[in-house]
Amino acid sequence: MNFTLKIWRQKDAKSKGEFKTYKVENISADTSFLEMLDILNNDLIHKNEEPVAFDHDCREGICGMCSLHIDGLAHGPGQAATTCQIYMRKFKDGATITIEPWRSAAFPVIKDLVVDRSAYDKILQAGGYTSVRTGSVPDAHCMPVSQADAEESMDAAACIGCGACAATCKNGSAMLFVAARVSSLAKLPQGRVEGARRAKAMVAKMDALGFGNCTNTGACQSECPKSISIAHIARLNREFLAAKLED
């Protein structure tokens, strides 16, 4: 398979970026998208050209590092999949593929396709944890948690913090990410102790970092590689409102 790649190139955060066109040829249909970029970079290195910088780590859909906008879609043309889980058979032979970094004011470009997603880390540091001592691993079933609550908490905890939700949202909102983190702890006894403080602190930090407001378009849910439901945003709103009423 042969492809034409329109890739965003930007030397550093202060430089002006632009799209540059590259050709890749004889790509197997079973090659992953990141492997295809590896092949391109190998060709560029042999030509004494600067390789394309892009984020990657586990390449198993776990870490969320492979944050690319491909043909206008976060992570590319696949449902519930990260970029590293997209294979070239998803594209037509001879297709032109546009590859961009996350487009969000809160995720400034560092170089080429690499963005600074430390804003999510700062939100987590504001309250996405339990500071109470929970001790060592407890015996099974010593702390009763209903099956429904446990499942809902685990569904929310599946969030990998890749940033697709904020990059996809027309408002640049991080509500789905924050909601998933709040919801995963709010449904467990260990997380209830600091529930009110957590909701207020994480929302305040999100606003301070320049993320936009949620208008329930549902774009975040549709592009989330872990299919996190916007129902968690409703829980975040309830947690936040209850905390404010207590104040």
Side-chain angles (χ1 to χ4, degrees):
M1 302 178 74
N2 302 323
F3 301 100
T4 299
L5 308 177
K6 292 179 62 179
I7 302 179
W8 183 260
R9 301 304 305 266
Q10 186 170 333
K11 185 177 180 180
D12 53 47
K14 296 180 180 179
S15 300
K16 184 178 180 180
E18 63 178 345
F19 282 105
K20 290 192 175 181
T21 302
Y22 302 93
K23 300 279 188 179
V24 288
E25 299 177 340
N26 301 319
I27 303 296
S28 168
D30 295 326
T31 300
S32 76
F33 199 88
L34 295 189
E35 288 172 340
M36 181 273 296
L37 290 179
D38 289 336
I39 293 171
L40 169 65
N41 279 344
N42 186 61
D43 292 341
L44 291 176
I45 291 171
H46 279 87
K47 294 176 183 178
N48 292 319
E49 296 182 31
E50 181 76 14
V52 178
F54 62 95
D55 268 333
H56 62 93
D57 192 0
C58 73
R59 300 202 178 197
E60 295 179 346
I62 298 172
C63 69
M65 291 289 288
C66 53
S67 47
L68 298 179
H69 244 120
I70 304 170
D71 287 341
L73 298 172
H75 288 299
Q79 289 294 320
T82 53
T83 300
C84 61
Q85 295 173 306
I86 302 298
Y87 291 86
M88 299 314 295
R89 56 178 173 266
K90 284 280 187 181
F91 304 90
K92 292 182 179 179
D93 187 16
T96 297
I97 305 172
T98 303
I99 310 169
E100 305 172 76
W102 282 165
R103 298 299 192 184
S104 175
F107 299 145
V109 174
I110 297 175
K111 182 178 181 179
D112 294 343
L113 304 175
V114 180
V115 299
D116 181 359
R117 292 179 297 156
S118 61
Y120 270 13
D121 295 328
K122 293 173 182 177
I123 293 175
L124 286 178
Q125 291 165 5
Y129 56 86
T130 57
S131 60
V132 294
R133 181 173 175 79
T134 58
S136 59
V137 179
D139 293 333
H141 305 304
C142 72
M143 186 177 292
V145 179
S146 72
Q147 175 73 13
D149 286 346
E151 291 291 339
E152 196 164 355
S153 175
M154 289 302 294
D155 287 344
C159 172
I160 56 177
C162 66
C165 50
T168 299
C169 177
K170 67 177 183 179
N171 306 316
S173 173
M175 280 290 280
L176 189 64
F177 168 74
V178 176
R181 295 308 186 188
V182 167
S183 195
S184 66
L185 293 173
K187 299 299 291 184
L188 299 177
Q190 299 94 327
R192 288 307 319 158
V193 179
E194 299 173 291
R197 182 198 64 80
R198 178 180 303 109
K200 291 186 294 183
M202 293 183 75
V203 169
K205 178 59 71 173
M206 175 181 65
D207 291 341
L209 290 170
F211 288 99
N213 295 319
C214 174
T215 51
N216 291 313
T217 64
C220 54
Q221 176 180 275
S222 65
E223 297 293 346
C224 175
K226 297 302 177 181
S227 301
I228 305 295
S229 172
I230 57 174
H232 293 296
I233 295 178
R235 173 167 293 103
L236 170 60
N237 288 334
R238 292 195 296 272
E239 292 281 329
F240 183 77
L241 180 58
K244 286 297 186 179
L245 288 174
E246 284 183 14
D247 291 345

